[in-house]
Amino acid sequence: MVTFHHTSRASKAFRSLAGVALGTIVSMQCVAGPIVFSDADGDISDTVAAFQQALGDPNRGNSAGPFADGRRQINWDAGIVPFDMPADFFNNPAFPPTRGAVFSNSNNSEFRVSNDGIDNEFDTFNADNPNQFSTFSAPRLFTPVGTNIFDVNFFIPADNTPASVNGFGAIFSDVDLFGSTIVELFDVNNQLISSNTVEANPNGLSFFGIAFDDFTSPIFRVSITAGNTDIGSGLADDPTNGIDLVVIDDLLYGEPQAVSEPGALALFASALILMGVRRKKLI
Ligand SMILES: [Ca+2]
Ligand SMILES: [Ca+2]
Ligand SMILES: [Ca+2]
Ligand SMILES: [Ca+2]
């Protein structure tokens, strides 16, 4: 199923209805707002490709910004990405890869990236995990640990200048329960722009993306709730009993654009302190 359509803050109920029940392409030209891309039909590649086009070309890799256009992607698959991944691994100005995304969570911003030879699709947390998870880009996946919730903040790539983006998308693995996995977007004033429930696809992949027009980059922070259970608990995925483990594969977002509003910067600094982001040196 491919679903993409215009939306607005007020149209969430309609969006859910259209995306889940109808499964058709809906275009509401009369409603201003972003375009939502949602796919969980067993082959998400068509919708991921459409979303890449909405964000814009080219994929700027690790190039230092700023650029007025283009997009960034993270697939976690390069050998350099450590199992115990520092929260700023994808924008430490001193070391590539520099892609302008910094992660944080309430558990001292602890994250893991599955690494062949050390960990196969998070089997070090529970041996059943590889039976549940699959990849869009092989072989690696991403997860917070100690919590199932994390934030993404944006920067000018290879710089410490806070930034915002015109679109954000993520691939989720093994969303069993509709409602367990949520993507929330916040603007520079920490106001909720949009809250979205990711479609379920047990033992498969789900894609959610949202793109604003080329001249608006309102997304300053993304909060992701991946399933309803911390993978670090060691519990097995068990949706029958309400336990839904969900992990993340590729992230895609628009080229980060600088945000200079002073109030926003102060707010951002406090948020990072609260979330416990600490720079870590690579070993
Ligand atoms: Ca599809
Ligand atoms: Ca499952
Ligand atoms: Ca991957
Ligand atoms: Ca699950």
Side-chain angles (χ1 to χ4, degrees), residues 81-101:
V81 186
F83 178 59
D84 185 354
M85 194 196 84
D88 68 347
F89 186 80
F90 281 90
N91 204 49
N92 184 335
F95 301 97
T98 42
R99 298 185 191 172

Side-chain angles (χ1 to χ4, degrees), residues 132-133 173-177 180 202-203 227 237-239 243-247:
Q132 307 300 324
F133 301 142
S173 184
D174 195 43
V175 179
D176 289 281
L177 304 175
S180 77
N203 288 66
D237 192 58
D238 186 6
I243 297 173
D244 190 7
L245 298 176
V246 172
V247 296

Side-chain angles (χ1 to χ4, degrees), residues 75-77 135 137-141 249-250:
N75 66 14
W76 319 105
D77 297 324
T135 58
S137 54
R140 297 181 176 193
L141 296 162
D249 204 349
D250 303 47

Side-chain angles (χ1 to χ4, degrees), residues 181-200:
T181 299
I182 297 167
V183 177
E184 295 170 291
L185 312 177
F186 294 86
D187 69 13
V188 70
N189 296 312
N190 207 31
Q191 295 299 304
L192 180 68
I193 301 171
S194 162
S195 178
N196 308 273
T197 301
V198 177
E199 290 185 73

Side-chain angles (χ1 to χ4, degrees), residues 1-2 39 41-47:
M1 174 172 61
V2 182
D39 195 349
D41 69 356
D43 176 11
I44 62 170
S45 60
D46 50 348
T47 305

